[in-house]
């Protein structure tokens, strides 16, 4: 287990914990370098940064941008070492958030058609940042109301393509998302590539488009990856000259997946992203 975690969420997006609590939890698990990467939103970063300094953990400002690539594929791009005050990045993220409440209303209408009522209100009730309402909040509503056993089951039966509650949505364009991240001084990283419903050819096309746009990294160690995925993407990173990242994708205690601060060590063939991000790392004061 490595002590570096460059992908996880707070309640500024669809995590369950406040930013300072997620960082405290990472520190308890002896993380030495972390990046908070909320979906399409940077408002948790200030609290997270302060908590990281207080706990002696080095910190990178991060974000996870929702993208629609090649017409229909939702792809997530992590930005590491970004400047959250950069105007183009801020405006771009705002434009993504703008569509979420309307989409949530449509998701709720879709669930109502199969007899599940009050989902919009129910999702909003468990959503700290209303403009970031998304599928995870609907999943928590469905679990809390006793409709579904757990969040995993929700995503098997609802909220995914072809299932009740799914509403297709057009997110940012890949070149725009990568462009905002890079313009703000950050590094763009393809999140959890093992999760995409794409064969080898499509993944390779995605990587080429991503590199053309200025992207440099890919998650090799991810809470969403099996060990096989990790080794497969380590080889892909090597072949395409991409830097390798590591992140738990932690959202909430008890929802499954990796805990924050828990990532696998990168295979030795990998070039870690953090070596290229040294000057973007916000160093914590160390106890003497
Ligand atoms: P949204 O951006 O509103 O479409 O929500 C996407 C979020 O839903 C992801 O970031 C995950 O947190 C969650 N999610 C999507 N698919 C699954 C899944 N199969 N299992 C658990 N969580 C999922
Ligand atoms: Mn999420
Ligand atoms: Mn993601
Ligand atoms: Mn994530």
């Amino acid at each position: 287990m490595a002590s570096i975690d460059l992908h996880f969420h707070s309640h500024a997006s669809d995590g369950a914990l406040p930013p300072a609590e997620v960082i405290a939890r990472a520190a308890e698990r002896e993380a030495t370098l972390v990046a908070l990467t909320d979906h399409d939103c940077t408002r948790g970063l200030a609290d997270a940064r302060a908590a990281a300094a207080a706990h002696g953990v080095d910190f990178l400002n991060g974000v996870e941008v929702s993208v629609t690539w090649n017409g229909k594929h939702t792809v997530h791009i992590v930005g590491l070492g970004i400047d959250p005050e950069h105007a183009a990045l801020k405006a771009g993220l705002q434009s993504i958030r703008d569509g979420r409440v309307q989409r949530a209303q449509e998701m709720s209408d879709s669930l109502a058609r199969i007899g599940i009522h009050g989902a919009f209100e129910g999702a909003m009730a468990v959503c700290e940042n209303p403009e970031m309402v998304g599928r995870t909040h609907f999943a928590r509503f469905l679990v809390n109301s006793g409709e579904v056993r757990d969040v995993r089951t929700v995503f098997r039966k609802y909220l995914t393509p072809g299932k009740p509650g799914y509403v297709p949505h057009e997110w940012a364009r890949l070149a725009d998302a990568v462009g905002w991240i890079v313009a703000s001084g950050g590094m763009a990283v393809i999140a959890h590539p093992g999760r995409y419903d794409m064969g080898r050819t499509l993944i390779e096309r995605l990587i080429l488009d991503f590199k053309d746009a200025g992207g440099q990294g890919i998650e090799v160690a991810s809470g969403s990856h099996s060990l096989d995925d990790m080794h497969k993407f380590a080889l892909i990173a090597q072949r395409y000259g991409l830097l390798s990242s590591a992140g738990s994708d932690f959202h909430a205690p008890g929802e499954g997946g990796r805990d924050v601060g828990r990532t696998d060590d990168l295979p030795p063939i990998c070039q870690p992203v953090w070596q290229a991000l040294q000057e973007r790392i916000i160093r914590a004061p160390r106890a003497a």
Side-chain angles (χ1 to χ4, degrees), residues 7 9 13-15 39-40 64 66 74 76 96 100 103 107 132-140 151-156 158-160 166-167 169 171 192 195 249-251 255:
H7 182 158
H9 300 273
S13 65
D14 63 357
H39 299 285
D40 310 323
E64 182 178 16
S66 309
T74 297
H76 287 171
I96 303 174
R100 280 187 173 270
R103 169 187 183 241
M107 289 167 66
M132 275 310 301
V133 64
R135 286 188 287 162
T136 305
H137 305 104
F138 279 81
R140 291 188 186 131
V151 166
R152 261 178 82 96
T153 311
V154 172
F155 282 98
R156 220 168 48 237
Y158 306 88
L159 310 184
T160 47
Y166 182 71
V167 175
H169 193 76
W171 304 108
H192 43 62
R195 251 183 50 187
D249 208 1
F250 171 75
H251 281 72
E255 263 181 25

Side-chain angles (χ1 to χ4, degrees), residues 33-224:
L33 171 64
V34 300
L36 176 67
T37 57
D38 274 310
H39 299 285
D40 310 323
C41 167
T42 59
R43 83 176 200 187
L45 292 176
D47 284 358
R49 237 174 4 247
H55 289 281
V57 180
D58 291 342
F59 188 80
L60 283 162
N61 287 310
V63 69
E64 182 178 16
V65 185
S66 309
V67 160
T68 301
W69 175 72
N70 200 26
K72 61 172 177 152
H73 295 281
T74 297
V75 168
H76 287 171
I77 302 296
V78 163
L80 297 174
I82 55 163
D83 171 5
E85 298 311 320
H86 188 270
L89 176 65
K90 273 176 90 164
L93 296 177
Q94 183 64 55
S95 72
I96 303 174
R97 294 194 300 270
D98 283 342
R100 280 187 173 270
V101 170
Q102 173 67 30
R103 169 187 183 241
Q105 194 63 66
E106 292 168 24
M107 289 167 66
S108 184
D109 294 345
S110 167
L111 290 170
R113 286 194 286 276
I114 59 156
I116 298 173
H117 297 281
F120 181 82
E121 294 73 15
M124 282 298 188
V126 293
C127 181
E128 181 70 22
N129 181 6
E131 63 175 0
M132 275 310 301
V133 64
R135 286 188 287 162
T136 305
H137 305 104
F138 279 81
R140 291 188 186 131
F141 158 72
L142 290 168
V143 172
N144 295 342
S145 65
E147 189 72 42
V148 186
R149 180 164 16 106
D150 53 31
V151 166
R152 261 178 82 96
T153 311
V154 172
F155 282 98
R156 220 168 48 237
K157 295 187 172 172
Y158 306 88
L159 310 184
T160 47
K163 307 284 166 64
Y166 182 71
V167 175
H169 193 76
E170 182 120 356
W171 304 108
R173 289 200 247 179
L174 178 67
D176 289 340
V178 173
W180 302 328
I181 290 165
V182 172
S184 86
M187 181 192 294
V189 175
I190 298 175
H192 43 62
R195 251 183 50 187
Y196 304 133
D197 190 17
M198 297 182 207
R200 181 72 175 223
T201 311
L202 263 183
I203 285 280
E204 293 184 342
R205 276 188 48 204
L206 168 67
I207 290 172
L208 293 178
D209 280 2
F210 171 74
K211 288 192 72 171
D212 278 349
Q216 288 185 276
I218 190 164
E219 283 181 355
V220 169
S222 165
S224 307

Side-chain angles (χ1 to χ4, degrees), residues 238-263:
Q238 185 184 47
R239 158 127 19 98
Y240 286 91
L242 291 168
L243 301 170
S244 298
S245 192
S248 63
D249 208 1
F250 171 75
H251 281 72
E255 263 181 25
R258 285 292 170 90
D259 207 332
V260 67
R262 299 282 192 240
T263 58

